[in-house]
């Protein structure tokens, strides 16, 4: 988690070239140039070990899980549930059955908003979200508010892209039923003071739903230390397959919440008169899950456990700081989001150049960034821009790649001069 102050850039003792060899996609060329992959906030790349483990399931173990008594079903079930146990340990959840598998953060937040909203939000209640949220942490709560007759209230941010905590404290009241906030902003990289925000909400007896899609891939997390009520993240941003994700929730809430979806696998008994539901986690896992993706998520966690994840995070933060300074030194470049604490994301604009043009020219140089509103239109409106160019880093990126980014941005300016 870094700021933007100038400093000497002595990189951590991190063998990035060794790590890069774990990710086969990084060895390719794009438009005749070595690939520089700086779109990690959208989706990270996948190490060979995850590819191999997912392929092994499809090649040797493929079968539907749970209830099957035959060899393949039992092996697939064991592998899938082992992945759930890995999730529990990785985020330090107190109970493996409180780790619900979903397809990703979007589905996870919809699960919480629907089920918690149906059980606990009523007419006249208030839901707090922040001004920097991804659409996936705005729209489900808008829908819940509309359906329940509640009001959506917004925690503002300042010109640096930091939440105004004094306003957050003021907005909390006896009508607040839940706070939904990102741990790290996908559009700005701001690291929010989640632990403190949760503690403040709990003084009012208000639970907090944390969108952790951008934090889990970039630094260690501990849901018990944070005291998070709900903690939601995606596998495809943490070096795992698409279609994998997790909702962690405290049992005191999950036990009281109705199911999000219904059907096979999540029932205890069914008759035409009444259905009763299975205990956690099955209650929230209707139907056949994305088995290969879940097993792949477990393999991604194995990979992160095998490397020194704290050293990786330190290296990545230093790299972000270096890249930020390189771009900030270029006349005509404006950094969007200059919070004191940041992770991974470097959003910027170039005077009189549309971000899509930036992205296109960088792609010609083999550099992959994201250009657009990043599913965060309220953020764009706040900074009075239609879109930004966003470079986002992982621990396999290099200082040389940051230099290539800066050189390519300079070329963009020359093209449009």
């Amino acid at each position: 988690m870094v700021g933007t102050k100038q400093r000497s850039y002595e990189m951590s003792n991190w063998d990035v070239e060794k790590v890069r060899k774990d990710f086969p996609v990084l060895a390719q060329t794009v438009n005749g140039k070595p690939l520089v992959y700086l779109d990690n906030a959208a989706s990270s790349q996948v190490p060979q070990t995850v590819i191999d483990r997912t392929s092994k399931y499809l090649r040797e173990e493929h079968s539907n899980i749970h209830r099957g008594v035959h060899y393949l079903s039992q092996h697939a079930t064991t592998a899938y549930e082992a992945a759930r146990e890995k999730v529990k340990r990785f985020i330090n959840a107190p109970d493996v059955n409180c780790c619900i598998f979903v397809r990703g953060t979007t589905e996870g937040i919809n699960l919480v908003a629907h089920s918690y909203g149906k059980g606990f939000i009523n007419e006249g209640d208030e839901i707090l979200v922040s001004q920097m949220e991804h659409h996936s942490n705005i729209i489900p709560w808008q829908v819940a508010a509309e359906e329940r007759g509640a009001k959506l209230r917004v925690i503002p941010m300042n010109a640096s892209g930091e939440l105004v905590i004094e306003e957050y404290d003021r907005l909390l009241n006896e009508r607040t039923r839940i706070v939904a906030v990102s741990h790290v902003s996908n559009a700005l990289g701001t690291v929010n003071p989640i632990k403190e925000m949760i503690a403040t909400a709990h003084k009012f007896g208000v639970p907090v739903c944390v969108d952790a899609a951008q934090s889990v891939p970039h630094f260690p997390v501990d849901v018990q230390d944070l005291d998070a009520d709900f903690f939601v993240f995606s596998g495809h941003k943490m070096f795992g397959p698409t279609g994998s994700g997790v909702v962690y929730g405290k049992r005191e809430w999950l036990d009281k919440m109705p199911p999000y979806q219904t059907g096979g696998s999540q029932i205890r008994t069914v008759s035409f008169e009444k259905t009763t539901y299975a205990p956690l986690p099955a209650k929230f896992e209707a139907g056949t899950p994305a088995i290969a993706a879940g097993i792949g998520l477990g393999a991604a966690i194995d990979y992160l456990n095998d490397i020194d994840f704290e050293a990786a995070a330190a290296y990545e933060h230093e790299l972000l700081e270096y890249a930020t300074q390189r771009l900030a030194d270029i006349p005509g470049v404006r950094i969007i989001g200059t919070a004191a604490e940041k992770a991974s994301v470097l959003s910027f604009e170039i005077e009189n150049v549309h971000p899509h043009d930036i992205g296109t020219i960088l792609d010609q140089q083999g550099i992959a960034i994201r250009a657009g509103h990043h599913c965060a239109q309220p953020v764009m409106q706040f900074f009075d821009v239609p879109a930004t160019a966003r470079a986002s880093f992982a621990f396999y990126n290099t200082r040389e790649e940051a230099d290539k980014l800066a050189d390519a941005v300079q070329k963009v300016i020359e093209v449009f001069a």
Side-chain angles (χ1 to χ4, degrees):
M1 295 173 281
V2 300
T4 56
K5 62 183 185 298
Q6 191 163 3
R7 51 162 289 177
S8 61
Y9 298 99
E10 296 296 330
M11 291 291 153
S12 299
N13 185 23
W14 175 252
D15 192 344
V16 66
E17 294 303 328
K18 179 180 178 182
V19 169
R20 286 176 66 83
K21 293 176 183 177
D22 296 336
F23 294 83
V25 72
L26 300 179
Q28 69 180 285
T29 58
V30 173
N31 293 321
K33 305 289 179 64
L35 171 64
V36 177
Y37 186 78
L38 300 176
D39 195 22
N40 294 285
S43 192
S44 60
Q45 293 300 335
V46 181
Q48 187 65 50
T49 54
V50 175
I51 297 170
D52 290 345
R53 184 62 189 94
T54 305
S55 296
K56 175 181 170 62
Y57 161 76
L58 293 170
R59 187 176 60 249
E60 301 176 9
E61 303 167 320
H62 179 58
S63 177
N64 215 323
I65 59 171
H66 302 141
R67 302 179 310 282
V69 297
H70 61 80
Y71 175 87
L72 288 180
S73 179
Q74 291 189 21
H75 272 256
T77 299
T78 297
Y80 189 76
E81 292 304 328
R84 195 190 309 273
E85 181 63 35
K86 292 170 186 178
V87 168
K88 169 191 176 292
R89 293 196 299 268
F90 189 68
I91 64 173
N92 193 33
D95 184 346
V96 69
N97 293 320
C98 292
C99 298
I100 313 300
F101 279 144
V102 290
R103 291 177 297 165
T105 304
T106 296
E107 184 178 50
I109 294 173
N110 273 274
L111 183 158
V112 177
H114 173 89
S115 296
Y116 179 87
K118 192 172 181 180
F120 296 97
I121 297 174
N122 296 299
E123 186 173 356
D125 290 341
E126 295 181 355
I127 300 165
L128 289 191
V129 300
S130 90
Q131 196 169 14
M132 67 176 63
E133 297 308 309
H134 188 284
H135 296 164
S136 294
N137 207 25
I138 298 174
I139 302 168
W141 300 108
Q142 284 181 327
V143 171
E146 291 169 0
E147 290 179 346
R148 309 302 296 175
K151 182 177 181 180
L152 193 72
R153 307 200 68 185
V154 181
I155 309 161
M157 62 182 173
N158 61 28
S160 296
E162 298 168 318
L163 294 183
V164 182
I165 297 302
E166 296 79 10
E167 286 300 302
Y168 169 65
D169 294 344
R170 186 185 65 80
L171 285 166
L172 281 165
N173 61 65
E174 68 280 358
R175 295 183 300 277
T176 309
R177 289 296 170 264
I178 194 164
V179 175
V181 65
S182 56
H183 200 171
V184 175
S185 165
N186 76 297
L188 304 171
T190 304
V191 180
N192 287 318
I194 286 295
K195 185 174 180 178
E196 293 78 7
M197 293 179 74
I198 291 171
T200 302
H202 286 176
K203 292 177 183 178
F204 291 84
V206 174
V208 178
C209 178
V210 180
D211 174 353
Q214 301 292 340
S215 60
V216 170
H218 299 294
F219 49 82
V221 298
D222 183 332
V223 296
Q224 292 190 73
D225 179 64
L226 294 173
D227 201 18
D229 300 277
F230 302 100
F231 196 82
V232 189
F233 56 96
S234 299
H236 72 97
K237 298 182 191 295
M238 56 177 292
F239 318 101
T242 55
S244 61
V246 176
V247 173
Y248 160 76
K250 287 183 177 177
R251 180 175 283 276
E252 65 189 82
W253 296 115
L254 294 178
D255 278 342
K256 297 174 184 175
M257 288 160 50
Y260 173 48
Q261 297 176 322
T262 55
S265 302
Q266 54 89 240
I267 56 87
R268 187 190 299 272
T269 63
V270 176
S271 71
F272 288 110
E273 290 72 36
K274 183 177 177 60
T275 293
T276 61
Y277 299 112
L280 299 173
K283 172 183 171 183
F284 291 102
E285 294 184 356
T288 298
I291 303 168
I295 292 172
L297 174 59
I301 291 172
D302 287 340
Y303 179 83
L304 292 174
N305 287 333
D306 286 343
I307 65 172
D308 185 342
F309 193 34
E310 290 189 2
Y315 168 82
E316 184 187 302
H317 295 158
E318 292 171 356
L319 181 61
L320 174 62
E321 190 173 54
Y322 175 76
T324 300
Q325 193 62 55
R326 282 297 319 268
L327 262 61
D329 288 341
I330 300 174
V333 173
R334 175 194 177 198
I335 307 298
I336 306 295
T338 55
E341 298 293 329
K342 289 186 63 178
S344 177
V345 170
L346 173 52
S347 287
F348 63 96
E349 66 168 353
I350 299 174
E351 188 176 1
N352 298 322
V353 183
H354 195 280
H356 289 167
D357 293 324
I358 300 172
T360 299
I361 294 174
L362 264 58
D363 180 61
Q364 294 169 359
Q365 302 297 313
I367 301 172
I369 65 165
R370 183 75 37 169
H373 55 64
H374 315 299
C375 295
Q377 289 184 6
V379 173
M380 303 300 116
Q381 292 161 7
F382 176 84
F383 285 100
D384 194 26
V385 294
T388 68
R390 183 187 71 187
S392 49
F393 295 86
F395 52 66
Y396 46 59
N397 292 122
T398 68
R399 188 155 113 164
E400 290 72 27
E401 290 180 323
D403 289 334
K404 288 181 179 180
L405 171 67
D407 292 344
V409 167
Q410 188 66 58
K411 289 180 182 178
V412 172
I413 294 172
E414 293 169 2
V415 167
F416 284 89

